Amino acid sequence: MTNAPDDSTRDDFKDYYEGVKGRPPRPTLVQAADAFAAPGFAVDLGCGDGRDTVELLRRGWRVLAIDSSEEGVARLRRRDGMLENTALKARVARIEDADWPEADLINASFVLPLLDAEAFGRTWTRIGLRLRPGGRFAGQLYGPKDGWADRPGMTTHDRAAVERLASGFIVERLDEVETDEPTARGKPKHWHVFHLVLRKR
Ligand SMILES: C[S@@+](CC[C@H](N)C(=O)[O-])C[C@H]1O[C@@H](n2cnc3c(N)ncnc32)[C@H](O)[C@@H]1O
């Protein structure tokens, strides 16, 4: 694969992790976690260096964190207290090829748009199957006006498609946001993002 300096589809996320170092958990993850009366078992797909995983662990959740980047998973494991934390399991794998046990919460922050359409479909189906009744999905999809929409291997959804994906769930958050903000790697970008929190019936 040839990689532009700001190519979100590339496997090397090292400079992304540097760019997001110390950032707080995603608001979608916080909203979903807040909605549970008690912590349970969560899967963090595309966990990166663990900004959402560590928040879940802090709240008493057990977490299976999965990312295709060895660097991301190594950075998660190097975070304070992680090596001895028995509530964390971390795995290097592509989420479209991975499977995981039934979960109360499946989080996928800014990763699902990085899958091609076939891999996305497979993964979305598995998310629905692996959520327990009453469980929640939190994460993002990209809209067609996103600056990366034309990049090979990426998948976008217009609002109607997002609503179709969400239709089997109770929708707790479906925010469509367009902004012009630099990426974690410091490049200008137009963002067209759907922020989702969905509850399985
Ligand atoms: C934009 S980062 C988001 C990281 C983290 N969830 C966050 O919100 O900061 C995307 C992450 O997804 C991972 N990733 C990309 N494609 C993946 C795939 N097919 N399977 C698993 N992880 C993937 C990358 O390694 C990277 O850590």
Side-chain angles (χ1 to χ4, degrees):
M1 198 190 325
T2 55
N3 295 320
D6 194 29
D7 187 348
S8 60
T9 63
R10 67 185 177 181
D11 292 331
D12 176 12
F13 275 82
K14 192 168 179 182
D15 44 5
Y16 171 85
Y17 303 134
E18 282 301 310
V20 297
K21 219 172 179 173
R23 291 205 195 164
R26 304 285 186 182
T28 38
L29 180 274
V30 171
Q31 179 181 330
D34 281 349
F36 287 90
F41 171 63
V43 179
D44 189 7
L45 301 174
C47 60
D49 69 344
R51 67 193 281 182
D52 292 341
T53 290
V54 294
E55 175 63 10
L56 287 165
L57 292 166
R58 191 186 68 76
R59 289 168 178 246
W61 285 72
R62 289 178 300 112
V63 183
L64 171 61
I66 303 176
D67 199 288
S68 56
S69 165
E70 284 185 22
E71 173 77 18
V73 171
R75 282 176 181 247
L76 166 59
R77 289 190 172 122
R78 283 203 299 270
R79 282 182 182 248
D80 282 352
M82 289 303 118
L83 276 181
E84 60 274 24
N85 193 327
T86 53
L88 171 66
K89 289 197 167 33
R91 194 194 290 169
V92 177
R94 299 190 65 82
I95 58 176
E96 63 271 40
D97 300 329
D99 199 359
W100 57 85
E102 272 203 331
D104 304 294
L105 171 57
I106 299 179
N107 184 59
S109 293
F110 289 90
V111 63
L112 295 177
L114 307 184
L115 306 180
D116 66 30
E118 188 275 327
F120 173 84
R122 208 152 22 107
T123 306
W124 188 260
T125 300
R126 180 162 289 137
I127 288 170
L129 289 171
R130 292 291 178 267
L131 272 178
R132 294 194 176 117
R136 289 180 172 83
F137 166 80
Q140 283 71 28
L141 300 174
Y142 288 173
K145 288 186 262 174
D146 193 88
W148 290 335
D150 294 334
R151 294 191 172 192
M154 303 234 352
T155 300
T156 59
H157 297 86
D158 61 17
R159 190 171 183 100
V162 173
E163 286 174 354
R164 270 196 304 279
L165 291 171
S167 64
F169 297 86
I170 298 163
V171 177
E172 296 184 332
R173 180 175 191 153
L174 198 174
D175 291 342
E176 181 176 2
V177 178
E178 282 193 63
T179 51
D180 289 291
E181 280 172 37
T183 67
R185 293 169 170 126
K187 307 283 177 184
K189 188 197 166 206
H190 184 72
W191 297 86
H192 184 190
V193 181
F194 293 92
H195 298 275
L196 297 170
V197 178
L198 306 174
R199 185 167 196 210
K200 185 165 169 175
R201 292 175 194 279

